[in-house]
Amino acid sequence: MRFDTSCPTSQQLVGSTALGLLPTSVYLGRTFCNYDADQFLEAQGWGRDINVISHGEIKLGGTGVVGFADVAYSRSDRKYTGAPITISTTSVTNFTNSGVTTPYQTILPIGHPDNPFTDARASVQYRFENLRGGSRSVNEGVRAVAGFRGSNFGWDWETAGLWNRAERDDTTYGRLYLPVLRTLMTQNRSLASLAADPNLGHDVVANNKSQISQWDAKATTEFGQLPGGKIGVAIGGELRRETINLNPDPLVASGQIYGLANTILDSGRTVKSAFVEFRTPVLKNLEFDFAGRVDKYPSIKTNFVPKVGGKWTISDTFAVRGTYAEGFRAPSLSQVVAGGAQYFLSGVWDPKRCGPDHNTPLPGGGTTQDCSRSIAGTGGFNPDLKPEESKSYNIGLIFSPTSYFDMTLDFFHIKRTNEIILGSSDQALKDEDRFPQNVSRDTNTASLLVDASGRPIPGTGSLLMVATPWRNQGKTELGGVDIEGRLRNKLGEWGSLSTTLRSTYVQTYKIQQNDGDAMHNVAGTAPGLSDWALSSGTVMPRWKSTLSSTWTRGDHAVNAGINYTGPISLLRRYDGDTTYPQPFCHYGKAQPTDAAKDRDTSNPLYEVFYPKCSIKEWVTVNLGYTYTGFKHWILNANVQNLFDTKAPYDPTSSSVTAGFNEDLHNPYGRYFNFSARYTF
């Protein structure tokens, strides 16, 4: 290996362990060029937003009919910095609109002007500093609604038409045009000559559009008489046309851009639905609601979902309510029609070529790249997807002993079947022997691992691509309780104080990935770690709570809030049908007591700093002030995360620069917001 030190002195470094290099690194003691890519990191990119909303109404004579219309326009413009593009020593997959095309790897032949060796080819890593990095995203949306409403013949009714269009243009700057890039080797061009070629760089532009055209109508009335009052009825219907058009840059679609994937879709569908609902006040303190909805999607049988609810007011201070409902969600267009997304996966552990510790290559030809490989992934559509269905019930208790205090407890249980999820690379590799069609490997004999006798081992070639199409998951069950309490205090000349507590406790969270699989309670854990057989699952803390208070006096109002998100265990407890006799941490130093020998030891000190093996709880405080003393004006100032509490560290985070769980926490730290509102 040779190092080019023709870069400015300010970019030169001498390799040492103080720089974080391993004692075995080839960079130790050598002078090499170092490009500071961190200069392009930013917590938040540049942005500009425009939002315009208009509403109008007109009465049509003495008919009791009112015409109305809404028009809204929005535009957001975001720019993100990024380092100029680099070609590396590894092979890079390139996509066409229908698959993959010839990969690219820089191997300079003997005699190439940048090859320092006279008897061997050379790989090279090079950054095109003259090309712009980063990206830009522009989103535009237009929404228009027009309709009529009125009260005629004993009915209150409304009908309207909706037109909604969204468009997004994404630009990725300074990508490499493959026909020119390949001339580095096919024409023995120097890197300097290639970098100076004006045809090398290409700003990739993808244009995506979606549109909904909809007409709906609804009407309500009352009839009959029950001991508690009249029977109420509501009916309605909807006709909706959905279209989506995702267009990649033509050069990306034809496979002529280095290392970029496509997202392609052009389709539409018409959806019809209708509903009916009855309110029956059986007694003055007892009423029931009955409802049903019918939906018809193309290629899916007509679906009917019912709902039944009731409320019994036992006394002035106590009431009971309950609901049973069924749900239905059809697959989205992008999930069932031809097209879909291609993407790249990084940090993929190949279990057939790297040991269970995720660090040690297997004998017979495994390399460190097999422990953290960058590969291609294809998601895409699945025309055989079934609709998601659900059944849920809840029982609520309402307690209001005084005029200034009330409390509700709602116990809920939700069961979802046929949940639609995107397959994962981890699961595809776990199930490779069962579903080999989802994994693509290099079939070249030279790429295969060899056994102790030197014989090639079939099916062990270098990992190239995994397929992760949308699929139906077995089922998910979720149960717990929602708690809400309100306290209102009158403070005389000192104004009033209102306090609200909202909290959710998750008692049960079970996931069945495939029909017949074992189900374990993974509430308060990382599902894919708690049960090693699971490839996915939303992280669900046991507790999430918010306590907020607002003190109001005259034109002044001060509000404060405390937000709590509970901890998440990273212990491994199950592997499908197997229950470990002793749970163990997935991260840290391997222990003899580990029930499985595939602990992730890439963070060996994790348990030293996090002995509970969990993502810690997160508590933040907000503070705000509102002033209404100026006519027509409302002035507001607030501070989010007053004490600048950092999001807790999450080793499972897919983003190395983030290090936190993006579903539960955020990186904003303390931030301020000021606003003024004028009404006329």
Side-chain angles (χ1 to χ4, degrees):
M1 177 181 288
R2 294 193 182 184
F3 298 91
D4 181 1
T5 56
S6 60
C7 57
T9 305
S10 60
Q11 294 183 11
Q12 295 181 14
L13 291 176
V14 178
S16 69
T17 55
L19 296 176
L21 298 176
L22 296 175
T24 56
S25 174
V26 296
Y27 290 93
L28 286 181
R30 296 174 181 260
T31 300
F32 57 90
C33 292
N34 177 69
Y35 186 84
D36 181 17
D38 289 346
Q39 64 183 300
F40 298 100
L41 295 177
E42 53 187 358
Q44 184 173 344
W46 176 92
R48 177 181 293 154
D49 297 324
I50 299 173
N51 292 280
V52 180
I53 302 174
S54 178
H55 174 78
E57 294 188 5
I58 184 172
K59 294 182 179 180
L60 303 181
T63 63
V65 177
V66 175
F68 61 88
D70 292 311
V71 178
Y73 171 80
S74 64
R75 186 179 191 273
S76 69
D77 190 349
R78 295 287 184 272
K79 295 178 182 178
Y80 305 95
T81 59
I85 193 168
T86 297
I87 53 174
S88 66
T89 59
T90 59
S91 176
V92 174
T93 301
N94 302 296
F95 288 93
T96 68
N97 57 3
S98 59
V100 295
T101 186
T102 306
Y104 175 86
Q105 185 174 15
T106 307
I107 304 293
L108 303 181
I110 297 173
H112 190 280
D114 291 303
N115 183 357
F117 307 112
T118 58
D119 57 353
R121 298 185 302 165
S123 61
V124 66
Q125 184 169 328
Y126 184 83
R127 186 182 299 275
F128 294 92
E129 294 185 43
N130 59 311
L131 295 181
R132 177 183 180 182
S135 62
R136 181 183 184 185
S137 179
V138 179
N139 290 272
E140 283 190 299
V142 181
R143 181 179 183 273
V145 178
F148 301 94
R149 64 172 179 266
S151 298
N152 303 92
F153 310 108
W155 289 82
D156 294 328
W157 58 272
E158 182 176 308
T159 184
L162 164 70
W163 181 75
N164 191 94
R165 181 180 176 86
E167 183 169 351
R168 174 169 176 158
D169 291 329
D170 290 316
T171 303
T172 306
Y173 298 109
R175 305 305 299 191
L176 301 175
Y177 183 47
L178 277 169
V180 174
L181 179 62
R182 294 186 192 278
T183 63
L184 176 67
M185 295 171 292
T186 60
Q187 298 179 16
N188 270 8
R189 296 180 64 180
S190 69
L191 285 165
S193 169
L194 182 70
D197 193 323
N199 297 314
L200 175 66
H202 177 70
D203 294 340
V204 172
V205 179
N207 178 256
N208 304 309
K209 303 181 184 70
S210 66
Q211 182 173 299
I212 294 177
S213 302
Q214 175 181 304
W215 170 83
D216 67 67
K218 56 187 176 183
T220 62
T221 190
E222 293 181 335
F223 67 94
Q225 185 68 41
L226 292 174
K230 291 186 176 182
I231 300 172
V233 62
I235 59 173
E238 179 182 294
L239 179 64
R240 183 173 74 252
R241 177 66 182 174
E242 305 172 351
T243 59
I244 187 169
N245 184 247
L246 308 180
N247 291 298
D249 187 291
L251 292 182
V252 179
S254 58
Q256 298 184 74
I257 296 298
Y258 172 84
L260 279 189
N262 293 279
T263 299
I264 303 172
L265 187 64
D266 186 6
S267 189
R269 66 183 177 188
T270 300
V271 182
K272 305 171 185 177
S273 61
F275 73 89
V276 62
E277 182 175 353
F278 292 95
R279 178 180 58 83
T280 58
V282 179
L283 301 172
K284 291 189 179 296
N285 65 340
L286 178 65
E287 68 175 44
F288 292 98
D289 294 318
F290 303 92
R293 181 182 178 90
V294 176
D295 291 278
K296 175 57 181 174
Y297 285 78
S299 304
I300 299 175
K301 68 177 182 179
T302 302
N303 183 271
F304 172 76
V305 291
K307 178 182 177 181
V308 179
K311 181 179 179 181
W312 179 25
T313 305
I314 300 174
S315 67
D316 292 339
T317 62
F318 187 66
V320 179
R321 63 188 176 193
T323 302
Y324 170 81
E326 297 183 9
F328 165 87
R329 188 176 80 85
S332 67
L333 267 175
S334 62
Q335 294 169 339
V336 294
V337 300
Q342 305 162 334
Y343 48 89
F344 294 94
L345 297 163
S346 60
V348 177
W349 168 60
D350 183 353
K352 288 200 171 182
R353 297 178 63 90
C354 179
D357 64 354
H358 294 228
N359 288 311
T360 307
L362 291 178
T367 68
T368 55
Q369 287 186 350
D370 297 316
C371 300
S372 182
R373 182 170 284 277
S374 295
I375 62 171
T378 59
F381 71 107
N382 180 356
D384 298 324
L385 279 179
K386 301 176 182 177
E388 292 184 2
E389 297 180 348
S390 68
K391 293 182 180 180
S392 65
Y393 63 81
N394 70 76
I395 298 175
L397 307 177
I398 306 171
F399 183 55
S400 183
T402 68
S403 60
Y404 55 84
F405 175 73
D406 56 71
M407 182 177 182
T408 62
L409 298 175
D410 283 292
F411 299 89
F412 61 87
H413 187 272
I414 304 169
K415 179 180 178 181
R416 295 192 293 261
T417 56
N418 295 329
E419 280 188 294
I420 298 172
I421 64 170
L422 182 64
S424 71
S425 60
D426 288 345
Q427 192 65 34
L429 292 169
K430 283 182 182 180
D431 294 339
E432 181 177 356
D433 292 336
R434 296 170 57 196
F435 307 110
Q437 69 274 17
N438 288 335
V439 178
S440 297
R441 294 182 176 274
D442 191 340
T443 57
N444 190 326
T445 304
S447 173
L448 302 179
L449 296 183
V450 296
D451 60 22
S453 301
R455 292 187 297 267
I457 304 173
T460 61
S462 298
L463 188 60
L464 299 177
M465 184 169 63
V466 295
T468 59
W470 296 97
R471 65 184 185 86
N472 289 107
Q473 185 171 262
K475 62 183 176 182
T476 299
E477 293 188 21
L478 180 67
V481 58
D482 288 325
I483 305 168
E484 183 170 329
R486 297 177 182 271
L487 178 64
R488 296 168 293 277
N489 299 101
K490 294 183 178 180
L491 307 178
E493 64 179 13
W494 288 97
S496 62
L497 180 68
S498 176
T499 303
T500 302
L501 170 68
R502 294 185 177 91
S503 187
T504 297
Y505 175 72
V506 178
Q507 171 64 33
T508 304
Y509 179 37
K510 297 180 178 181
I511 303 172
Q512 185 184 65
Q513 198 149 272
N514 300 291
D515 289 337
D517 287 356
M519 296 181 70
H520 305 289
N521 189 2
V522 293
T525 74
L529 298 184
S530 182
D531 184 352
W532 192 244
L534 298 176
S535 64
S536 62
T538 303
V539 174
M540 199 79 65
R542 289 280 191 179
W543 282 102
K544 288 190 74 173
S545 303
T546 300
L547 177 64
S548 60
S549 290
T550 301
W551 173 54
T552 304
R553 185 186 183 193
D555 298 325
H556 306 272
V558 177
N559 59 81
I562 301 175
N563 307 301
Y564 173 82
T565 300
I568 298 296
S569 172
L570 300 180
L571 292 174
R572 289 175 57 179
R573 296 175 170 85
Y574 314 100
D575 187 357
D577 294 327
T578 302
T579 299
Y580 297 142
Q582 179 179 331
F584 67 98
C585 188
H586 180 66
Y587 297 95
K589 186 177 180 181
Q591 303 293 336
T593 55
D594 290 351
K597 303 306 178 184
D598 54 359
R599 181 194 283 238
D600 187 338
T601 59
S602 60
N603 194 344
L605 296 179
Y606 181 77
E607 284 185 286
V608 175
F609 291 96
Y610 297 90
K612 294 183 179 180
C613 189
S614 67
I615 306 170
K616 292 183 177 181
E617 67 277 357
W618 196 38
V619 181
T620 58
V621 177
N622 304 328
L623 183 65
Y625 170 72
T626 302
Y627 181 70
T628 57
F630 299 127
K631 187 177 181 180
H632 301 302
W633 286 94
I634 299 176
L635 306 180
N636 181 267
N638 64 72
V639 185
Q640 302 291 316
N641 196 354
L642 178 65
F643 299 111
D644 199 22
T645 307
K646 294 181 180 179
Y649 172 60
D650 176 11
T652 70
S653 171
S654 59
S655 173
V656 176
T657 57
F660 66 94
N661 190 297
E662 293 152 326
D663 293 330
L664 299 177
H665 315 120
N666 66 65
Y668 302 142
R670 181 192 302 115
Y671 64 98
F672 303 85
N673 178 271
F674 302 94
S675 65
R677 181 181 177 185
Y678 181 82
T679 58
F680 56 90

